[in-house]
Amino acid sequence: MLLAFLFACATEVGFVQTLEKQRPEDTAILDTAVDTSQPALEPSGEPSMEPSSDPSTEPSGEPSTELNGTVGLVVYELEQVACPACMGVSQEITINFDAKFHERMNEKHFSWVPDVGTCSQNLNYTTINVTPKNIGQSLTVQGGVTFFTPYYNGMSYYGTHMEPQYARDTPLTVTAQDGSSFQLMSLHGFDTIEPWEMRYVDPSYAFAAVISRAGTNFQWAPFGSTGLLNITVAVYSPDGSQMLGYVSCTTNDSGYFLMPGSYFQGFPTWSLTAIHMTRVLHQRVPYQGLGGYIDAQVEWSVVGTGHVE
């Protein structure tokens, strides 16, 4: 999750330390089947992941001249962690929905997003200081197999649900208690990701993927959506106790990206890495209920492991 990672960069974060790092002869890969209680697939199998179709429809951008300004921010994100034990988390897949409404303003929430084709070691992530607006006790979010109820917590409307209830490439209608609504589009994940080794699920095999000082080739499928692909490599000390820095690159969803090795020249050999590959869809959708537009960011993120050499 790109936004969650950027917040985490403000604190000193370390990996759960793995005492023995082995270079595997047998591979274990990230299990991405809908039933997340099943064990990881065997090395010879390909993970069962997501359909390759792109959204057939997109929420309209700014179709009404009667609406003005920005009145809210929605972030809907799915994160899939290859090795939960390596990251100190209990679940392989987590899904979060967070919606904040506010009085109309002229600024847009995603002005900080880096230009396509650029890399940075110091993203200038900025938040706009707004007073939260209460539009009722709860919202409903529904579309396809998705149906859940985010509740107001004093700052925003937060909700979560299980992965089988995630409707891919589907318009989702978000409805307030007064009956007003807006619509955003979900997206799909990945069938394949390279480097393959970043998906090892066993801590004894993890961190085998090489982030090279000569450059690292990333590949993924399906590709070709209207969204962006962000690749962020967080670098930690060889024992995993301290975060040393990160490199974040944004590119079109083209299926291929060469991350320049020059960014990793200053990190020690065998520095551990957390590799975040995130498909991101930014949307600006009309909301008649507050007379303006909602900025929505939908993410599907896979987090793997590696090391620098």
Side-chain angles (χ1 to χ4, degrees), residues 117-174:
T118 62
C119 295
S120 175
Q121 292 179 289
N122 185 24
L123 283 177
N124 187 25
Y125 174 67
T126 57
T127 58
I128 300 174
N129 187 19
V130 293
T131 301
K133 189 179 184 70
N134 185 338
I135 63 170
Q137 182 182 6
S138 64
L139 308 171
T140 60
V141 182
Q142 57 185 334
V145 298
T146 300
F147 183 90
F148 64 100
T149 303
Y151 287 92
Y152 190 61
N153 58 19
M155 292 294 294
S156 63
Y157 292 81
Y158 175 79
T160 186
H161 60 83
M162 302 301 291
E163 193 267 343
Q165 283 73 53
Y166 188 98
R168 295 150 177 82
D169 301 330
T170 300
L172 301 178
T173 300
V174 181

Side-chain angles (χ1 to χ4, degrees), residues 1-225:
M1 294 179 287
L2 178 59
L3 293 180
F5 169 78
L6 293 175
F7 279 122
C9 286
T11 63
E12 194 152 307
V13 182
F15 273 128
V16 173
Q17 186 170 348
T18 303
L19 296 180
E20 294 185 7
K21 309 290 190 301
Q22 304 178 23
R23 297 182 184 275
E25 296 181 0
D26 296 320
T27 62
I29 63 175
L30 178 61
D31 176 18
T32 54
V34 168
D35 183 358
T36 59
S37 65
Q38 296 299 317
L41 298 176
E42 292 300 320
S44 59
E46 284 288 337
S48 173
M49 297 187 86
E50 311 313 322
S52 60
S53 59
D54 286 328
S56 58
T57 60
E58 291 285 349
S60 55
E62 296 198 4
S64 173
T65 57
E66 298 177 0
L67 303 180
N68 292 287
T70 305
V71 294
L73 170 66
V74 173
V75 178
Y76 184 39
E77 52 196 6
L78 183 152
E79 182 181 67
Q80 191 168 15
V81 179
C83 180
C86 302
M87 303 294 174
V89 298
S90 59
Q91 296 180 198
E92 175 194 350
I93 295 177
T94 55
I95 298 173
N96 295 299
F97 176 97
D98 192 84
K100 178 182 286 187
F101 304 98
H102 50 77
E103 296 297 334
R104 185 185 292 111
M105 65 179 187
N106 293 326
E107 296 89 345
K108 297 180 181 180
H109 285 284
F110 300 136
S111 59
W112 63 271
V113 175
D115 293 334
V116 173
T118 62
C119 295
S120 175
Q121 292 179 289
N122 185 24
L123 283 177
N124 187 25
Y125 174 67
T126 57
T127 58
I128 300 174
N129 187 19
V130 293
T131 301
K133 189 179 184 70
N134 185 338
I135 63 170
Q137 182 182 6
S138 64
L139 308 171
T140 60
V141 182
Q142 57 185 334
V145 298
T146 300
F147 183 90
F148 64 100
T149 303
Y151 287 92
Y152 190 61
N153 58 19
M155 292 294 294
S156 63
Y157 292 81
Y158 175 79
T160 186
H161 60 83
M162 302 301 291
E163 193 267 343
Q165 283 73 53
Y166 188 98
R168 295 150 177 82
D169 301 330
T170 300
L172 301 178
T173 300
V174 181
T175 306
Q177 289 186 323
D178 64 2
S180 62
S181 65
F182 59 91
Q183 198 172 80
L184 57 88
M185 180 67 68
S186 66
L187 44 67
H188 56 271
F190 305 90
D191 291 337
T192 61
I193 285 177
E194 300 289 348
W196 172 266
E197 297 88 349
M198 67 177 276
R199 296 180 287 174
Y200 291 156
V201 303
D202 191 316
S204 64
Y205 294 160
F207 305 101
V210 175
I211 302 299
S212 174
R213 296 190 182 100
T216 304
N217 291 318
F218 289 91
Q219 298 182 57
W220 61 93
F223 56 86
S225 75

Side-chain angles (χ1 to χ4, degrees), residues 15 17-18 21 236-242 244 268-272:
F15 273 128
Q17 186 170 348
T18 303
K21 309 290 190 301
Y236 296 79
S237 56
D239 65 358
S241 64
Q242 183 180 6
L244 304 179
T269 298
W270 259 100
S271 294
L272 303 184

